[in-house]
Amino acid sequence: MKITTISADALTDGQIARWADLQKQTQEFGSPLVGPYFAHLVQKHRGDVHVAIASQDGRDVAFFAFHRASHGYVRPVGAPFSDYQAVVSEPGVALDGTAFLAEAGIARMAVSGLMDPHGLFAGSVLEPVLGYRIRIHDGGAAKMERLRQANPKWAKNLRRLANKMDRELGPIRFVTGDQNPDALEAVLQLKVDQYRESGLTDVLRPVWVKAMMNDLFSRTDPAFGGCLMTLYAGDYMVSGQFGVRQGGWFHPWIASSCPKAHPYSPGIVFLGQMIRFAENIGIDTIDLAQGHSNYKSQFSRNPVTVQAGQIGRRAIPASAMGQGPIGMIQKRLDLIASVEPDLAGRLHAGWAAVASAPRRLMARGKAQQPDRVSSDD
């Protein structure tokens, strides 16, 4: 087994095609976040993406993209937008994941959603977490009917919210593949406003992120590109989601709603509409990633299990990592370091984090309140 590491912009057309083919061979690797096109896109706008490649008998059998940090520590490509991580490998290949990383100069990496269908990291100490995916291979209407049968009371409440929005704000209209740049700007600005109000780090501020989002939006090829979906009530945009798609797999990143529409639970209504109409543009998998299971579990009845923790020969067990306030500070600093490649950006984000601490505490208190849909059931 030969292990080489190259810059993402040194990938040949043949290697890109081979990587994409390996994704097709294993369904779990279908996420755009672990494929060659995403790695190439991030390289274009950040310029610090490395790709480790395992070759055997003259063919490439595994690919993994990452950012180097320091002392053998690396971050997943595109962090913090990399909700999933994976060494995309050929089925049946004899490859030890930890040894593969070591050969590539990787001693340790934090993972939040490691997909490992071939068991390359079977010996690693990781925690299982749920990833929420909505499969709509047989059509959105059929999917919504199955959800209704599974939880009639929840489905009735969802219809009530949609009808109330339609009646009081204007006829609801869902746009799949929205190509209006003003709509994209509105969705992104709503998210920035949410970050500011809650005191969270604005991950949309860095120049490379803005450039990547705009680049994705301009790519209309279903094979790989950006995808914006929006929900209107009359002429009023109440909610939208923007993210990346590869073929039929859509991974939303930015989900935002207008505060004026919050009494109508626009995000929940949006998901119901997205399930119904996503097939119009060839999407059959909507990936909601991990976290916020209270609402995601209502739409994704059969979540997948992924792994969280650290991988690599110098991986730190979760039990040895900081907990409580110390752990939260460590996570915030790592988030800032991942999204801000240069020192000036990190200092700016660090100061903003200190200044916004009171707002974060207030927002955390609100987040502990029951959400509207649950309380209405």
Side-chain angles (χ1 to χ4, degrees):
M1 188 78 68
K2 179 183 178 182
I3 311 298
T4 57
T5 303
I6 63 175
S7 171
D9 56 14
L11 288 165
T12 67
D13 291 342
Q15 288 172 320
I16 291 174
R18 171 62 173 163
W19 190 347
D21 183 60
L22 289 178
Q23 285 186 276
K24 293 177 182 178
Q25 291 182 35
T26 302
Q27 184 184 52
E28 194 167 355
F29 291 148
S31 170
L33 302 181
V34 300
Y37 310 117
F38 181 57
H40 203 267
L41 175 76
V42 177
Q43 169 67 18
K44 176 181 177 181
H45 297 291
R46 279 190 54 145
D48 61 343
V49 179
H50 302 271
V51 180
I53 305 172
S55 304
Q56 185 178 60
D57 300 327
R59 72 185 189 282
D60 295 329
V61 297
F63 295 86
F64 178 67
F66 60 93
H67 299 289
R68 292 197 187 279
S70 61
H71 307 294
Y73 179 64
V74 305
R75 294 186 176 89
V77 62
F81 297 96
S82 50
D83 295 297
Y84 291 111
Q85 307 83 39
V87 174
V88 177
S89 57
E90 180 181 285
V93 67
L95 182 65
D96 179 277
T98 302
F100 169 70
L101 296 183
E103 287 291 322
I106 302 171
R108 180 166 58 95
M109 186 183 82
V111 293
S112 59
L114 178 69
M115 300 183 294
D116 187 25
H118 300 155
L120 306 188
F121 296 94
S124 300
V125 180
L126 298 166
E127 296 290 331
V129 293
L130 296 180
Y132 295 90
R133 295 176 194 161
I134 303 172
R135 303 286 190 181
I136 48 177
H137 297 280
D138 56 350
K143 176 65 176 180
M144 289 302 296
E145 175 58 21
R146 288 196 298 273
L147 293 177
R148 186 197 67 78
Q149 292 177 3
N151 192 338
K153 190 175 182 181
W154 168 84
K156 180 179 179 181
N157 190 57
L158 181 61
R159 290 195 303 272
R160 180 185 65 79
L161 289 168
N163 291 337
K164 183 178 180 182
M165 181 186 294
D166 185 276
R167 183 175 62 254
E168 298 180 2
L169 294 184
I172 62 173
R173 174 172 57 93
F174 192 80
V175 182
T176 54
D178 196 333
Q179 289 296 302
N180 183 352
D182 292 336
L184 174 66
E185 180 61 28
V187 169
L188 296 180
Q189 186 58 53
L190 283 170
K191 197 64 177 181
V192 170
D193 294 343
Q194 180 182 334
Y195 289 143
R196 186 178 298 114
E197 180 182 354
S198 62
L200 297 176
T201 298
D202 180 3
V203 298
L204 297 176
R205 191 192 77 88
V207 173
W208 76 270
V209 174
K210 294 178 180 178
M212 181 180 73
M213 295 293 177
N214 289 326
D215 189 352
L216 269 175
F217 184 69
S218 69
R219 300 184 184 213
T220 57
D221 186 348
F224 179 78
C227 183
L228 173 66
M229 299 194 191
T230 48
L231 174 66
Y232 291 83
D235 294 327
Y236 180 71
M237 192 187 77
V238 296
S239 188
Q241 291 194 15
F242 178 71
V244 59
R245 70 174 293 185
Q246 183 172 324
W249 195 308
F250 175 46
H251 189 102
W253 277 327
I254 310 302
S256 56
S257 300
C258 182
K260 176 182 176 181
H262 281 181
Y264 308 90
S265 297
I268 304 298
V269 175
F270 177 95
L271 281 174
Q273 296 294 307
M274 179 163 60
I275 291 173
R276 290 186 180 281
F277 298 111
E279 63 182 306
N280 292 350
I281 56 173
I283 289 175
D284 54 32
T285 299
I286 301 168
D287 200 324
L288 303 179
Q290 306 91 310
H292 306 292
S293 61
N294 189 43
Y295 81 90
K296 290 182 180 180
S297 61
Q298 299 295 337
F299 291 94
S300 176
R301 307 294 297 184
N302 297 293
V304 298
T305 300
V306 293
Q307 306 293 321
Q310 290 193 358
I311 54 176
R313 288 182 174 171
R314 298 213 312 260
I316 301 174
S319 58
M321 299 180 69
Q323 303 295 325
I326 298 298
M328 294 178 65
I329 292 173
Q330 290 176 337
K331 289 180 180 179
R332 174 58 61 92
L333 292 176
D334 191 64
L335 172 64
I336 291 172
S338 68
V339 76
E340 297 282 4
D342 58 73
L343 179 60
R346 293 178 183 182
L347 291 174
H348 179 279
W351 171 248
V354 172
S356 62
R359 296 200 301 275
R360 287 199 302 279
L361 292 174
M362 291 181 61
R364 197 170 298 130
K366 292 180 180 179
Q368 293 174 353
Q369 299 174 3
D371 67 59
R372 181 176 179 81
V373 172
S374 295
S375 61
D376 282 346
D377 279 353

